[in-house]
Amino acid sequence: GHATLASAHALWELQLAARSEPLRFHTRSGVLTARHTPAGIVLDFPAEPATTVPWVMPLLEALGIPVPVAFARNRFDYLVEVADAAQVRDLQPDMVRLAEVPTRGVVVTARADSGDHDFISRWFGPRVGVDEDPVTGSAHCCLGRWWAERLGRTEMRGVQASPRGGTVGVRVLGDRVELTGSAVTVLPGELTA
């Protein structure tokens, strides 16, 4: 997500691609497209639905969550739904213990407690060297389907409540998910040989 969003932004900002044409990136996940719209950069990704599975107690203990609302898994991560947004914001996982759980990462989510967003999340991946990711596109490819089923709609706004978090527009389209975000150029540079 980060790299695709940043690459599209850079190509458009440097006028190496026309904003009126979608960009196509060939990746291990297949062809991913990026479109420039007035709402932001829209990325088209495969959906990553999660299926309910039995609780993994060491994972819940590492998170400090005694009883989740729901516990699920997709091909990348575990998903833990908790009772409220404050619980998501207040998490202080034991990263050493969480790194022992055999998974790429863990997304913790709840319904949002503000009218600006539909759901809240955080993503932890200490096993792969990322204690907490600021904003995680692949997690939102899962969260889109998860919350669409619970909220009864296909267009939502999620907030990832990491210290450097962000907002992601989510639109579920069958087996695809469109994620809308924004990017800014912070520091231009030039590489020389």
Side-chain angles (χ1 to χ4, degrees):
H2 288 89
T4 308
L5 185 77
S7 297
H9 172 75
L11 290 168
W12 288 320
E13 286 297 305
L14 296 171
Q15 299 180 349
L16 297 172
R19 290 179 193 258
S20 59
E21 295 295 321
L23 299 175
R24 289 175 180 78
F25 298 94
H26 296 267
T27 74
R28 285 187 284 170
S29 297
V31 176
L32 306 178
T33 61
R35 294 187 331 270
H36 189 276
T37 71
I41 299 171
V42 178
L43 304 174
D44 177 3
F45 289 122
E48 294 293 344
T51 304
T52 301
V53 296
W55 299 355
V56 175
M57 288 311 296
L59 185 155
L60 293 175
E61 290 166 357
L63 291 171
I65 297 171
V67 179
V69 171
F71 193 88
R73 180 161 179 90
N74 68 13
R75 68 186 178 122
F76 297 121
D77 304 323
Y78 281 104
L79 181 145
V80 181
E81 182 182 341
V82 296
D84 58 60
Q87 194 173 1
V88 175
R89 280 192 293 274
D90 295 342
L91 279 175
Q92 294 182 352
D94 180 333
M95 294 300 175
V96 172
R97 290 180 70 193
L98 196 56
E100 295 170 358
V101 178
T103 184
R104 181 190 76 159
V106 178
V107 60
V108 181
T109 188
R111 286 181 191 255
D113 55 4
S114 80
D116 295 338
H117 303 96
D118 298 295
F119 61 87
I120 184 173
S121 67
R122 290 173 69 190
W123 187 91
F124 306 100
R127 187 176 181 96
V128 295
V130 181
D131 282 355
E132 182 169 5
D133 194 33
V135 182
T136 315
S138 63
H140 282 82
C141 291
C142 176
L143 290 164
R145 292 280 294 269
W146 186 260
W147 286 109
E149 291 173 12
R150 281 145 184 78
L151 299 173
R153 57 183 197 272
T154 58
E155 292 193 39
M156 297 154 286
R157 286 177 54 84
V159 61
Q160 193 155 331
S162 67
R164 210 180 82 206
T167 299
V168 179
V170 180
R171 184 173 175 214
V172 178
L173 301 166
D175 65 348
R176 306 292 296 178
V177 176
E178 288 184 342
L179 305 179
T180 303
S182 60
V184 295
T185 302
V186 176
L187 181 67
E190 185 176 319
L191 297 175
T192 59

